[in-house]
Amino acid sequence: MMAHLRRVTLHDVAQDAGVSASTVSRALNGDRRIPENTRARVEYVATRLGYVPNQAARSLVLRATHTLGLLVPGITDPMHGQVVAGFENEASVHGFSVIMASSYDNPQRESRGLQLFARHQAEGVAVLGGILEQRQVLAAVHPSRVVFLDGENPALAGDTSDLPFGCIRVEDAAGGQALVEHLLQVGCRSFAYVEGPAVASTIARKQGIARALRAAGLDDTLKTYAGASLDPVSTATLVSHVLRDRPDALLCYDDRLALIVMDALRAHGLRVPADIAITGFDDIPFAALSNPRLTTVAQPAGDMGKLAVRMLLSAIQDDVMPPSVRLPVRLIVRESSRRVQAA
Amino acid sequence: MMAHLRRVTLHDVAQDAGVSASTVSRALNGDRRIPENTRARVEYVATRLGYVPNQAARSLVLRATHTLGLLVPGITDPMHGQVVAGFENEASVHGFSVIMASSYDNPQRESRGLQLFARHQAEGVAVLGGILEQRQVLAAVHPSRVVFLDGENPALAGDTSDLPFGCIRVEDAAGGQALVEHLLQVGCRSFAYVEGPAVASTIARKQGIARALRAAGLDDTLKTYAGASLDPVSTATLVSHVLRDRPDALLCYDDRLALIVMDALRAHGLRVPADIAITGFDDIPFAALSNPRLTTVAQPAGDMGKLAVRMLLSAIQDDVMPPSVRLPVRLIVRESSRRVQAA
DNA sequence: CTGAAAGCGCTAACAG
DNA sequence: CTGTTAGCGCTTTCAG
């Protein structure tokens, strides 16, 4: 059965070094009162014996785990991957470990992940693209500090300072707006939006698009299509709509979707951007490698992860959550929207 | 300073429920000796108070953490993302938490990650694409069980059962071979290989390619180019080599590289597959969405992660590491190699 | 400068 | 059926 992992303990080291456990502890933790020679000897014995401190015991007595929880919808998404990388990096720089859980856009799994963090006494938790309500999240991990990254629960839309949690969002609407302004400039007059999952950012991006259209006096030009997945049926439906309406430009919820749509359109003989312009959102690495290369809106994904850690640490140390922020985005024009002047 | 996370403890619950701590512990852990009504009351109080068991305390006394460590080169890579997803999923199914660390293909960080696992008393650890020697890894996390996934340290090349660690690899060579056989069939006669990082799989794939070429009596046809990155200089060099040699087919180390190369080639006016066939390796999601869609060799990435967990759990429970395995790969022919019969 | 003792939150004998 | 006791591995007063 379950082989117990008998490891070398502080006492083993103490015994071997002929000192008490306290001395070993102090020596290894750089207590100035321990003279250099004892410290060296203890250290020597410790490494010789292969001693590794037991984190569980440590956190228990220190009442601090130096652990952050990160809840992700799914690590397969390149966009999320970048956030995770930024988060993990920054955490490790500050000596924090991160424990991760995937929610797969499923409230149940989201709760389970938070539960996990609570059990592990995470001192702070970041929720990426979560759909649970803030109250629920807060309750689940109380009293950990929480920051919401790209929170998808509609209630997270407003900016919320003074709350026991922080929000990091991007200028989704501004991104949509920038996209439309660019497309107008290259001569597009009719637009369609391909929706993503029914979450906050889907709506915000669409609102930005609608706003820009309104400003240009093209308010009711915008068609909206349900987003497709890799499944052939949904793409076929989408393509048939495009073929029927023939908009000049197709604004997709995100890059992944845009690439799927572009592929489907090509299979049906539509040329991008000659017949139709396509844009994405996120600027995932592959957006720059598609053919045609994808015009998109870049999100500072890595920075978001980094910032999340910073906010959490600040909240942990100073006991005050920094104000929520909304990060700027950047329009990146590539081939998929380079139209010859359209009608 | 550091606000201590005062949480509700077992004793709080015990007090409030008017029983002893042991009773609460037993009730909450489903000990059959506790009668239904007490169990219910305890449970009620526990949830009302928002009690969450302290994992650190638990692991300490149980001498079992139910934690697995996963070391990844970098979560940004879609291929690795799938392995991670499979691993995490399977672990959570079996009630294990996973703690993850990124190595960024850097031995130092790899060691640090392993150290982290040791401190957290991970009961098993999986190393994905690691470059450290097995001995070092084993020493670093002893006595945890270890499995190497796609280990990139050359010494891992041979199949190794009866060892205190397991290896999960894929049929890299067979994949390379299949690719060549397919390319020969569509009329390619001259080949070039674009290398990845100098690790085991780069070599294995090339060996498979060379073997197939030898079998076809085309041994010395194979040119080898240094792999490019997104950086313009390296791609320019690569393109100039391709332009000079004009091979019929370009076999790239992996999909990511293939997409980069394809993009560079297109920028220089070369058409794929009309002028040159291109293939990748891995079958990342975007391989199916490129234009032209990429011919590649699919690896069972998710299964690898899942299998790693299974091997680890089996080693933990039965104290015997299952034999190493080498997973099959699958040739996926797409547009990038659909040549009209070449000369 | 160093050791002895107490205790972090929890579980597991061992009595009752 | 339930409470008391001891102790997981570590840090930290508090004495010496």
Side-chain angles (χ1 to χ4, degrees), chain B residues 9-10 25 29 51 54 57-58:
Chain B
T9 78
L10 205 59
S25 171
N29 290 308
Y51 168 71
N54 182 326
R58 247 173 147 249

mmCIF file of all heavy atoms in Angstrom, chain B residues 9-10 25 29 51 54 57-58, chain C residues 8-15:
data_model
loop_
_atom_site.group_PDB
_atom_site.id
_atom_site.type_symbol
_atom_site.label_atom_id
_atom_site.label_comp_id
_atom_site.label_asym_id
_atom_site.label_seq_id
_atom_site.Cartn_x
_atom_site.Cartn_y
_atom_site.Cartn_z
ATOM 1 N N THR B 9 -11.333 26.948 12.503
ATOM 2 C CA THR B 9 -10.680 25.658 12.678
ATOM 3 C C THR B 9 -11.646 24.595 13.174
ATOM 4 O O THR B 9 -12.796 24.883 13.510
ATOM 5 C CB THR B 9 -9.523 25.736 13.694
ATOM 6 O OG1 THR B 9 -10.091 25.744 15.015
ATOM 7 C CG2 THR B 9 -8.702 26.995 13.494
ATOM 8 N N LEU B 10 -11.109 23.407 13.216
ATOM 9 C CA LEU B 10 -11.872 22.270 13.682
ATOM 10 C C LEU B 10 -12.416 22.533 15.089
ATOM 11 O O LEU B 10 -13.550 22.176 15.406
ATOM 12 C CB LEU B 10 -10.943 21.058 13.716
ATOM 13 C CG LEU B 10 -11.576 19.695 13.603
ATOM 14 C CD1 LEU B 10 -12.340 19.604 12.307
ATOM 15 C CD2 LEU B 10 -10.500 18.640 13.646
ATOM 16 N N SER B 25 -13.846 15.816 13.354
ATOM 17 C CA SER B 25 -12.971 15.225 12.347
ATOM 18 C C SER B 25 -13.596 13.961 11.779
ATOM 19 O O SER B 25 -13.708 13.796 10.563
ATOM 20 C CB SER B 25 -11.618 14.899 12.971
ATOM 21 O OG SER B 25 -10.826 14.147 12.088
ATOM 22 N N ASN B 29 -15.146 13.305 8.017
ATOM 23 C CA ASN B 29 -14.444 12.370 7.152
ATOM 24 C C ASN B 29 -15.224 11.080 6.946
ATOM 25 O O ASN B 29 -14.685 10.083 6.482
ATOM 26 C CB ASN B 29 -13.061 12.058 7.723
ATOM 27 C CG ASN B 29 -12.149 13.262 7.607
ATOM 28 O OD1 ASN B 29 -11.999 13.832 6.534
ATOM 29 N ND2 ASN B 29 -11.575 13.673 8.719
ATOM 30 N N TYR B 51 -16.326 26.512 7.607
ATOM 31 C CA TYR B 51 -15.101 25.774 7.917
ATOM 32 C C TYR B 51 -14.500 25.128 6.676
ATOM 33 O O TYR B 51 -15.202 24.532 5.871
ATOM 34 C CB TYR B 51 -15.392 24.699 8.952
ATOM 35 C CG TYR B 51 -14.262 23.725 9.112
ATOM 36 C CD1 TYR B 51 -13.074 24.116 9.724
ATOM 37 C CD2 TYR B 51 -14.362 22.426 8.615
ATOM 38 C CE1 TYR B 51 -12.019 23.231 9.848
ATOM 39 C CE2 TYR B 51 -13.313 21.536 8.747
ATOM 40 C CZ TYR B 51 -12.142 21.944 9.354
ATOM 41 O OH TYR B 51 -11.103 21.068 9.475
ATOM 42 N N ASN B 54 -7.698 22.550 6.898
ATOM 43 C CA ASN B 54 -6.373 23.048 6.565
ATOM 44 C C ASN B 54 -5.517 21.920 5.999
ATOM 45 O O ASN B 54 -5.117 21.001 6.704
ATOM 46 C CB ASN B 54 -5.730 23.622 7.822
ATOM 47 C CG ASN B 54 -4.369 24.201 7.538
ATOM 48 O OD1 ASN B 54 -3.644 23.696 6.697
ATOM 49 N ND2 ASN B 54 -4.037 25.280 8.224
ATOM 50 N N ALA B 57 -2.089 21.073 7.672
ATOM 51 C CA ALA B 57 -2.180 20.301 8.904
ATOM 52 C C ALA B 57 -2.505 18.848 8.595
ATOM 53 O O ALA B 57 -1.954 17.914 9.178
ATOM 54 C CB ALA B 57 -3.251 20.894 9.802
ATOM 55 N N ARG B 58 -3.384 18.695 7.631
ATOM 56 C CA ARG B 58 -3.795 17.358 7.240
ATOM 57 C C ARG B 58 -2.624 16.540 6.697
ATOM 58 O O ARG B 58 -2.368 15.421 7.135
ATOM 59 C CB ARG B 58 -4.846 17.462 6.145
ATOM 60 C CG ARG B 58 -6.143 16.988 6.596
ATOM 61 C CD ARG B 58 -7.312 17.149 5.753
ATOM 62 N NE ARG B 58 -8.152 15.984 6.017
ATOM 63 C CZ ARG B 58 -8.357 15.044 5.132
ATOM 64 N NH1 ARG B 58 -7.824 15.134 3.932
ATOM 65 N NH2 ARG B 58 -9.092 14.009 5.433
ATOM 66 P P DC C 8 -1.992 26.461 19.020
ATOM 67 O OP1 DC C 8 -2.574 27.603 19.741
ATOM 68 O OP2 DC C 8 -2.521 25.097 19.227
ATOM 69 O "O5'" DC C 8 -2.037 26.747 17.463
ATOM 70 C "C5'" DC C 8 -1.368 27.847 16.863
ATOM 71 C "C4'" DC C 8 -0.962 27.440 15.452
ATOM 72 O "O4'" DC C 8 0.251 26.682 15.523
ATOM 73 C "C3'" DC C 8 -1.986 26.536 14.789
ATOM 74 O "O3'" DC C 8 -2.817 27.325 13.922
ATOM 75 C "C2'" DC C 8 -1.154 25.550 13.980
ATOM 76 C "C1'" DC C 8 0.271 25.696 14.528
ATOM 77 N N1 DC C 8 0.855 24.468 15.154
ATOM 78 C C2 DC C 8 2.059 23.935 14.691
ATOM 79 O O2 DC C 8 2.625 24.477 13.744
ATOM 80 N N3 DC C 8 2.569 22.831 15.290
ATOM 81 C C4 DC C 8 1.925 22.269 16.310
ATOM 82 N N4 DC C 8 2.475 21.193 16.870
ATOM 83 C C5 DC C 8 0.699 22.797 16.805
ATOM 84 C C6 DC C 8 0.201 23.881 16.204
ATOM 85 P P DG C 9 -4.396 27.346 14.136
ATOM 86 O OP1 DG C 9 -4.888 28.470 13.331
ATOM 87 O OP2 DG C 9 -4.710 27.258 15.570
ATOM 88 O "O5'" DG C 9 -4.848 25.990 13.456
ATOM 89 C "C5'" DG C 9 -4.656 25.805 12.066
ATOM 90 C "C4'" DG C 9 -4.911 24.345 11.744
ATOM 91 O "O4'" DG C 9 -3.922 23.547 12.422
ATOM 92 C "C3'" DG C 9 -6.270 23.830 12.217
ATOM 93 O "O3'" DG C 9 -6.918 23.260 11.095
ATOM 94 C "C2'" DG C 9 -5.935 22.821 13.303
ATOM 95 C "C1'" DG C 9 -4.535 22.380 12.917
ATOM 96 N N9 DG C 9 -3.718 21.923 14.026
ATOM 97 C C8 DG C 9 -3.693 22.431 15.303
ATOM 98 N N7 DG C 9 -2.841 21.823 16.086
ATOM 99 C C5 DG C 9 -2.259 20.858 15.283
ATOM 100 C C6 DG C 9 -1.269 19.901 15.581
ATOM 101 O O6 DG C 9 -0.683 19.708 16.644
ATOM 102 N N1 DG C 9 -0.959 19.107 14.472
ATOM 103 C C2 DG C 9 -1.547 19.228 13.245
ATOM 104 N N2 DG C 9 -1.135 18.388 12.304
ATOM 105 N N3 DG C 9 -2.483 20.128 12.947
ATOM 106 C C4 DG C 9 -2.787 20.901 14.012
ATOM 107 P P DC C 10 -8.226 22.389 11.195
ATOM 108 O OP1 DC C 10 -8.912 22.469 9.901
ATOM 109 O OP2 DC C 10 -8.933 22.730 12.435
ATOM 110 O "O5'" DC C 10 -7.651 20.920 11.321
ATOM 111 C "C5'" DC C 10 -7.065 20.332 10.166
ATOM 112 C "C4'" DC C 10 -6.380 19.051 10.544
ATOM 113 O "O4'" DC C 10 -5.611 19.293 11.723
ATOM 114 C "C3'" DC C 10 -7.302 17.899 10.899
ATOM 115 O "O3'" DC C 10 -7.484 17.082 9.734
ATOM 116 C "C2'" DC C 10 -6.570 17.149 11.995
ATOM 117 C "C1'" DC C 10 -5.395 18.041 12.340
ATOM 118 N N1 DC C 10 -5.203 18.281 13.790
ATOM 119 C C2 DC C 10 -4.303 17.495 14.498
ATOM 120 O O2 DC C 10 -3.712 16.589 13.908
ATOM 121 N N3 DC C 10 -4.103 17.733 15.812
ATOM 122 C C4 DC C 10 -4.764 18.716 16.421
ATOM 123 N N4 DC C 10 -4.524 18.936 17.721
ATOM 124 C C5 DC C 10 -5.700 19.538 15.724
ATOM 125 C C6 DC C 10 -5.893 19.281 14.420
ATOM 126 P P DT C 11 -8.547 15.872 9.828
ATOM 127 O OP1 DT C 11 -8.814 15.481 8.442
ATOM 128 O OP2 DT C 11 -9.640 16.249 10.740
ATOM 129 O "O5'" DT C 11 -7.702 14.715 10.519
ATOM 130 C "C5'" DT C 11 -6.613 14.160 9.795
ATOM 131 C "C4'" DT C 11 -5.952 13.091 10.606
ATOM 132 O "O4'" DT C 11 -5.575 13.611 11.909
ATOM 133 C "C3'" DT C 11 -6.787 11.843 10.873
ATOM 134 O "O3'" DT C 11 -5.926 10.751 10.595
ATOM 135 C "C2'" DT C 11 -7.142 11.931 12.364
ATOM 136 C "C1'" DT C 11 -5.928 12.678 12.902
ATOM 137 N N1 DT C 11 -6.096 13.500 14.143
ATOM 138 C C2 DT C 11 -5.240 13.277 15.203
ATOM 139 O O2 DT C 11 -4.378 12.442 15.212
ATOM 140 N N3 DT C 11 -5.443 14.115 16.277
ATOM 141 C C4 DT C 11 -6.386 15.117 16.387
ATOM 142 O O4 DT C 11 -6.458 15.811 17.404
ATOM 143 C C5 DT C 11 -7.246 15.294 15.246
ATOM 144 C C7 DT C 11 -8.303 16.356 15.260
ATOM 145 C C6 DT C 11 -7.071 14.480 14.178
ATOM 146 P P DA C 12 -6.456 9.280 10.517
ATOM 147 O OP1 DA C 12 -5.806 8.640 9.359
ATOM 148 O OP2 DA C 12 -7.918 9.296 10.663
ATOM 149 O "O5'" DA C 12 -5.810 8.667 11.832
ATOM 150 C "C5'" DA C 12 -4.403 8.768 12.010
ATOM 151 C "C4'" DA C 12 -4.035 8.035 13.267
ATOM 152 O "O4'" DA C 12 -4.379 8.839 14.418
ATOM 153 C "C3'" DA C 12 -4.760 6.714 13.447
ATOM 154 O "O3'" DA C 12 -3.854 5.816 14.083
ATOM 155 C "C2'" DA C 12 -5.935 7.062 14.347
ATOM 156 C "C1'" DA C 12 -5.350 8.187 15.199
ATOM 157 N N9 DA C 12 -6.308 9.208 15.562
ATOM 158 C C8 DA C 12 -7.420 9.620 14.867
ATOM 159 N N7 DA C 12 -8.074 10.603 15.431
ATOM 160 C C5 DA C 12 -7.331 10.864 16.583
ATOM 161 C C6 DA C 12 -7.496 11.799 17.603
ATOM 162 N N6 DA C 12 -8.490 12.693 17.633
ATOM 163 N N1 DA C 12 -6.578 11.801 18.605
ATOM 164 C C2 DA C 12 -5.571 10.914 18.559
ATOM 165 N N3 DA C 12 -5.312 9.986 17.640
ATOM 166 C C4 DA C 12 -6.243 10.017 16.670
ATOM 167 P P DA C 13 -4.190 4.276 14.081
ATOM 168 O OP1 DA C 13 -2.934 3.642 14.570
ATOM 169 O OP2 DA C 13 -4.783 3.903 12.811
ATOM 170 O "O5'" DA C 13 -5.321 4.125 15.167
ATOM 171 C "C5'" DA C 13 -5.198 3.140 16.155
ATOM 172 C "C4'" DA C 13 -4.114 3.505 17.166
ATOM 173 O "O4'" DA C 13 -4.170 4.931 17.475
ATOM 174 C "C3'" DA C 13 -4.307 2.786 18.486
ATOM 175 O "O3'" DA C 13 -3.067 2.498 19.134
ATOM 176 C "C2'" DA C 13 -5.148 3.759 19.285
ATOM 177 C "C1'" DA C 13 -4.768 5.125 18.729
ATOM 178 N N9 DA C 13 -5.955 5.962 18.532
ATOM 179 C C8 DA C 13 -6.833 5.917 17.481
ATOM 180 N N7 DA C 13 -7.810 6.804 17.565
ATOM 181 C C5 DA C 13 -7.543 7.472 18.753
ATOM 182 C C6 DA C 13 -8.212 8.523 19.418
ATOM 183 N N6 DA C 13 -9.311 9.103 18.944
ATOM 184 N N1 DA C 13 -7.697 8.938 20.598
ATOM 185 C C2 DA C 13 -6.587 8.354 21.068
ATOM 186 N N3 DA C 13 -5.870 7.367 20.533
ATOM 187 C C4 DA C 13 -6.414 6.971 19.363
ATOM 188 P P DC C 14 -3.054 1.429 20.309
ATOM 189 O OP1 DC C 14 -1.660 1.216 20.762
ATOM 190 O OP2 DC C 14 -3.866 0.299 19.819
ATOM 191 O "O5'" DC C 14 -3.876 2.178 21.461
ATOM 192 C "C5'" DC C 14 -3.320 3.333 22.086
ATOM 193 C "C4'" DC C 14 -4.259 3.816 23.168
ATOM 194 O "O4'" DC C 14 -5.299 4.628 22.601
ATOM 195 C "C3'" DC C 14 -4.959 2.671 23.909
ATOM 196 O "O3'" DC C 14 -4.864 2.909 25.295
ATOM 197 C "C2'" DC C 14 -6.399 2.751 23.411
ATOM 198 C "C1'" DC C 14 -6.537 4.249 23.167
ATOM 199 N N1 DC C 14 -7.618 4.640 22.227
ATOM 200 C C2 DC C 14 -8.353 5.808 22.469
ATOM 201 O O2 DC C 14 -8.073 6.502 23.452
ATOM 202 N N3 DC C 14 -9.355 6.162 21.614
ATOM 203 C C4 DC C 14 -9.627 5.394 20.558
ATOM 204 N N4 DC C 14 -10.594 5.785 19.746
ATOM 205 C C5 DC C 14 -8.900 4.197 20.295
ATOM 206 C C6 DC C 14 -7.921 3.855 21.138
ATOM 207 P P DA C 15 -5.053 1.664 26.269
ATOM 208 O OP1 DA C 15 -4.631 2.136 27.622
ATOM 209 O OP2 DA C 15 -4.500 0.410 25.735
ATOM 210 O "O5'" DA C 15 -6.640 1.541 26.211
ATOM 211 C "C5'" DA C 15 -7.340 1.669 27.401
ATOM 212 C "C4'" DA C 15 -7.629 3.123 27.753
ATOM 213 O "O4'" DA C 15 -7.983 3.846 26.545
ATOM 214 C "C3'" DA C 15 -8.789 3.266 28.711
ATOM 215 O "O3'" DA C 15 -8.579 4.306 29.623
ATOM 216 C "C2'" DA C 15 -9.980 3.524 27.801
ATOM 217 C "C1'" DA C 15 -9.340 4.265 26.627
ATOM 218 N N9 DA C 15 -10.002 3.910 25.357
ATOM 219 C C8 DA C 15 -9.762 2.810 24.577
ATOM 220 N N7 DA C 15 -10.505 2.761 23.491
ATOM 221 C C5 DA C 15 -11.288 3.916 23.570
ATOM 222 C C6 DA C 15 -12.273 4.452 22.727
ATOM 223 N N6 DA C 15 -12.656 3.855 21.596
ATOM 224 N N1 DA C 15 -12.850 5.608 23.095
ATOM 225 C C2 DA C 15 -12.465 6.196 24.225
ATOM 226 N N3 DA C 15 -11.539 5.798 25.098
ATOM 227 C C4 DA C 15 -10.981 4.637 24.702
#
